[in-house]
Amino acid sequence: MGGPAVKTPLLTSTALEGGGLAGLDARARDIFRRIVETYLQTGEPVGSRTLSMTGISLSPASIRNTMQDLTLAGLLASPHTSAGRIPTHAGLRLFVDGLLEIGDLSREERREIDARLIGKGRGFDEALNEASSLLSGLAGGAGIVASPVRDAGVKHVEFVALGHDQALAVLVGDDGSVENRLMPLKAGVTPSTLQEASNFLNARLKGRPLHEARTEMRSELEIARRELDATAARLVEDGLAAWSGGAERERALIVRGRANLLQDAGAMEDLEKVRILFDDLEQKEQLIGLLDGVSSAQGVRIFIGAETRLFSLSGSAVVAAPYMTGRQRVLGAIGVIGPARLNYARIIPLVDYTARVLGRMLDGQET
């Protein structure tokens, strides 16, 4: 007679150590996929009895054994005393990366997005606001948009005296934008000094984006001091400091649809997570930084839970994509924030298409 039967592990050591899909056999992968899909639809823990009614040809006992293995691998968790399981953030990441079947937008949905963003006479700033509202409405989370980094080339620079101790530093961009900064004037500044400083900057900045030229200009100042009057050199340095970071600091963060986040928050712990998320949404600089991090991607990026420090406590998820010109110059990013159980299959194509429409608007192309 042979020895006792040995149970073949459903997960290899690779899956147990790192949660990789390659470590799941066909049965474990199927059960894992069914659990995640059911959880994303209902938001409730999924038990073996529920799974047995989905057409799977396994006994509840076999399903429970597999669920236990998936739990040991860190892909599932059991909330409270419930016999059911929910995917962990690591499990959701595994599902999104390897098992998610992304849908596509219907022709009607594309037409609606086009019509709302490219309305008659709608400017780009209006379109950004509309994009945030549109995403919150269609996706069911909070829509977020980071306005573009203004990096048009410099057309003209001028220092205008407003009195004996104050001047206006004027920066005109190739795109027609105008930035004004008030700055103090030190003693000894004459009209000719203002003109000298203006001429110096115009000769070196014209046609170049300020953010690209700023660092180089600062290094040039050491050499420039030899050809500029000392007062004019200080004026140039003060002018660069006045404009430094101005456009970035004034970038807008548009958030729409916070009320959507309350709809599925039933239990007290869910409400607490939403409260934390509301606090997170007030962190403008960190949110813009998160969205700017999307700029290196060529498409949609997804952050789940602790993958971002900003949302580690609320356990939220972000689906975001950059919007860019036809020359692939990234200007900003848009996205959807919500609970980790977002409808990724629907939201990913929504975010992707909306970002591409905004990019076409920037290029002045017709949809």
Side-chain angles (χ1 to χ4, degrees):
M1 295 179 61
V6 178
K7 177 185 175 184
T8 302
L10 298 177
L11 303 172
T12 67
S13 58
T14 302
L16 289 170
E17 292 172 5
L21 266 181
L24 299 179
D25 72 358
R27 177 195 296 182
R29 186 177 302 199
D30 182 45
I31 290 176
F32 175 67
R33 177 183 58 78
R34 289 172 186 261
I35 290 174
V36 177
E37 288 177 347
T38 303
Y39 171 74
L40 292 179
Q41 290 173 3
T42 67
E44 299 293 332
V46 181
S48 56
R49 184 168 299 179
T50 300
L51 283 180
S52 65
M53 293 186 291
T54 64
I56 191 169
S57 56
L58 291 171
S59 68
S62 296
I63 295 174
R64 282 195 295 272
N65 288 336
T66 304
M67 291 171 66
Q68 180 63 22
D69 285 336
L70 291 168
T71 302
L72 291 174
L75 302 179
L76 299 180
S78 179
H80 310 301
T81 58
S82 169
R85 298 290 191 275
I86 63 173
T88 61
H89 290 163
L92 284 173
R93 167 56 65 186
L94 184 68
F95 174 81
V96 167
D97 288 347
L99 294 174
L100 179 67
E101 295 182 5
I102 301 174
D104 197 7
L105 300 182
S106 67
R107 184 173 299 178
E108 291 71 23
E109 287 174 323
R110 291 171 184 260
R111 285 175 178 168
E112 179 184 355
I113 293 172
D114 293 346
R116 290 180 62 176
L117 296 187
I118 316 178
K120 185 176 181 181
R122 187 184 296 281
F124 186 68
D125 288 340
E126 291 179 289
L128 291 179
N129 277 283
E130 186 63 26
S132 182
S133 297
L134 184 152
L135 287 177
S136 71
L138 294 179
I144 54 172
V145 175
S147 66
V149 175
R150 304 293 186 183
D151 60 353
V154 175
K155 184 177 182 180
H156 182 70
V157 174
E158 188 170 357
F159 294 102
V160 181
L162 299 180
H164 68 279
D165 62 351
Q166 196 173 54
L168 188 67
V170 183
L171 182 73
V172 181
D174 287 336
D175 60 354
S177 61
V178 179
E179 286 189 45
N180 298 316
R181 297 284 188 276
L182 285 174
M183 52 185 292
L185 282 184
K186 294 179 173 62
V189 176
T190 64
S192 62
T193 302
L194 293 172
Q195 190 61 54
E196 183 181 6
S198 299
N199 292 341
F200 177 84
L201 285 172
N202 278 315
R204 288 159 177 79
L205 294 180
K206 191 170 184 178
R208 301 171 65 188
L210 180 63
H211 75 92
E212 290 181 5
R214 188 183 295 131
T215 302
E216 187 177 327
M217 281 292 302
R218 286 199 178 108
S219 63
E220 286 183 9
L221 266 177
E222 291 305 314
I223 301 174
R225 291 181 192 282
R226 302 170 190 168
E227 56 184 274
L228 277 174
D229 174 87
T231 306
R234 284 199 304 270
L235 191 60
V236 168
E237 194 166 11
D238 290 345
L240 288 173
W243 288 313
S244 179
E248 288 80 1
R249 282 198 304 268
E250 293 171 2
R251 290 175 64 196
L253 178 72
I254 306 165
V255 182
R256 298 284 185 273
R258 285 180 173 88
N260 292 336
L261 303 173
L262 292 168
Q263 292 181 356
D264 295 326
M268 286 301 296
E269 59 268 23
D270 292 335
L271 289 172
E272 176 61 16
K273 287 183 177 181
V274 171
R275 185 195 65 77
I276 295 172
L277 176 55
F278 277 14
D279 290 341
D280 294 339
L281 291 176
E282 297 301 319
Q283 305 301 312
K284 175 182 173 182
E285 291 184 6
Q286 291 189 52
L287 264 174
I288 289 180
L290 173 66
L291 291 176
D292 283 349
V294 174
S295 62
S296 60
Q298 291 300 310
V300 177
R301 287 195 65 185
I302 300 167
F303 304 94
I304 302 174
E307 291 176 355
T308 66
R309 186 175 63 177
L310 181 59
F311 298 119
S312 59
L313 294 179
S314 65
S316 305
V318 182
V319 178
Y323 57 88
M324 61 188 73
T325 66
R327 297 179 181 178
Q328 301 300 295
R329 182 168 63 91
V330 175
L331 296 179
I334 66 172
V336 172
I337 293 178
R341 64 177 193 86
L342 286 172
N343 186 345
Y344 298 98
R346 172 167 172 75
I347 291 174
I348 289 172
L350 273 174
V351 170
D352 179 59
Y353 186 74
T354 304
R356 286 191 279 122
V357 172
L358 287 176
R360 289 199 294 269
M361 287 188 68
L362 287 171
D363 279 345
Q365 299 175 4
E366 294 184 0
T367 303

